Amino acid sequence: MRIEIPKECDQCMKCVDCCIITQMDGYSIASELNELSGDGAWNCANCWRCIEVCPRAVDIFGFMIQRRKDEEIPELIRRGIDGIFRKGFWFGDSQFNEVRGLFGLPAVRFLGREKVALLMADEGEGS
Amino acid sequence: MERMILYPGCLVLSRFHEYELASRQILSKLGIEALDMEEFCCCGSSLVSGVRDDWINLPAYSLARAERLGMDIITLCGSCTNVFLRANFYLEKDPSLLERANSRLERLDLGYAGTTTVRHIVEILVDRVDEIRESVVSPLNFNVALSHPCQIMRPSEILPEQDTLSFQAMRGIVSALGAEVVDYPAETDCCGSTILLFDRAMALKVGKRKLESAIEGGAEMISVCCGNCLLLLDRYQSQMELKNGGRRMPLISLPQLIGLALGFPQDEMGVFRH
Ligand code: SF4
Ligand code: SF4
């Protein structure tokens, strides 16, 4: 599959140079913009330093969204989405409120499965 | 007393009780009553970039709840802050998006006009730095390195116009407590925590580099103000094989650090649980 580089990008490498992932010899979305790899769509800390340094105001965020749509969603994110649809909470912790109680913290009530379903798009529309 | 909604986010609610507790105590000391979301829902921060197109309904829900009460939202995590700011930015820019979000919110008897202000706790604290300085009873006499909640400051396009936040905010607060703020090369780097969702080994490498940079800079501890920084730099630290003579680098959240300087009992600040 060919990755289409936004036309504003002149592959100046500034985003690659500032990225914590490429600095550690990994590939990120900045690597993809500069055609160094086709493997960087998910590897990102969402620090948006690349967006701040880009001299040509390339829509790096939009590019990332497009690229990710071509790839599988990572397992841990899938699990988080399940949690959100289960009750509106990223984790599946058991005894969550009991543990909070031990710290003297108030119990949390979650939005709940039915209301989350009302809030989000219907099956098939969301992603 | 000023009233605001405290939105700790999934990560802090479930993993960083000491940080949440100290935040509540410091806010109360500063005259802010922190109310809880009646029915909490995840902000959806990990769904924003290419996971689900309807992500915006999640932050819109919490924003609408706060708007109904006429209160600001206080966040404790960089990721939640970023997604709320982003949601407000898009909803203001694109009326059709707001309309679509409202068609969903209506099903829960809610609506959003776009007026809720979201402020990360650092912003609340830096606005009250003089009051904090005047309340210090035990000035901190150690060297503290800072890991900033970078997602509350980038990208600048989504930040509100009169945004007062910068990498100076935490520095000002920690200096007001009497501590020496250490300079180190990786200070403004992202900690790398959200990489944990895709590539744990890479996240550990990024976190290790940041911690070792702080150690070289002479830090005796690191103060953070974000659930993600705590997650990687504290909870995953033992997997990093730090070059620090076999010692751990202690991490402490900013509200806990303030609590120490303000003379709150150490067990109330959760310091020993950390
Ligand atoms: S900094 Fe901007 S113009 Fe330069 S390579 Fe990156 S996206 Fe392209
Ligand atoms: S946002 Fe992602 S790609 Fe951009 S600099 Fe940060 S880690 Fe690298």
Side-chain angles (χ1 to χ4, degrees), chain A residues 63-80:
Chain A
F63 176 70
M64 181 192 279
I65 290 175
Q66 283 316 314
R67 278 290 299 116
R68 287 182 171 186
K69 289 192 169 177
D70 297 332
E71 309 273 336
E72 289 235 343
I73 296 176
E75 172 60 23
L76 286 178
I77 295 190
R78 264 181 203 292
R79 275 195 240 162

Side-chain angles (χ1 to χ4, degrees), chain A residues 23-24 42 45-47 49 52 68-69 88 90-91 93 100 103 109 111 115 118-121 126, chain B residues 13-15 20 39-40 42 49 53-54 57 104 107 151 154-156 189 194 198 205 209 273:
Chain A
Q23 287 170 2
M24 302 310 295
W42 289 101
N46 311 313
C47 74
R49 220 187 212 173
E52 295 298 283
R68 287 182 171 186
K69 289 192 169 177
W90 185 258
F91 299 105
D93 298 6
R100 289 180 56 78
F103 282 83
R109 257 181 63 207
L111 185 58
K115 290 185 182 170
L118 290 174
L119 191 61
M120 300 305 276
Chain B
L13 281 173
S14 69
R15 304 277 191 276
E20 182 186 336
E39 292 177 297
F40 176 90
C42 174
S49 24
D53 289 341
D54 57 355
N57 298 348
R104 293 284 155 176
R107 299 166 162 199
Q151 291 181 318
R154 291 190 288 242
S156 42
D189 286 357
T194 54
F198 329 111
K205 272 207 269 184
R209 180 174 73 158
R273 292 195 205 121

Side-chain angles (χ1 to χ4, degrees), chain B residues 137-171:
Chain B
V137 294
S138 353
L140 306 177
N141 56 355
F142 32 77
N143 297 335
V144 181
L146 307 177
S147 182
H148 305 266
C150 64
Q151 291 181 318
I152 71 178
M153 295 176 258
R154 291 190 288 242
S156 42
E157 65 162 5
I158 66 162
L159 301 180
E161 235 166 72
Q162 312 90 353
D163 191 63
T164 51
L165 274 177
S166 72
F167 286 99
Q168 294 308 316
M170 261 179 93
R171 292 193 145 244

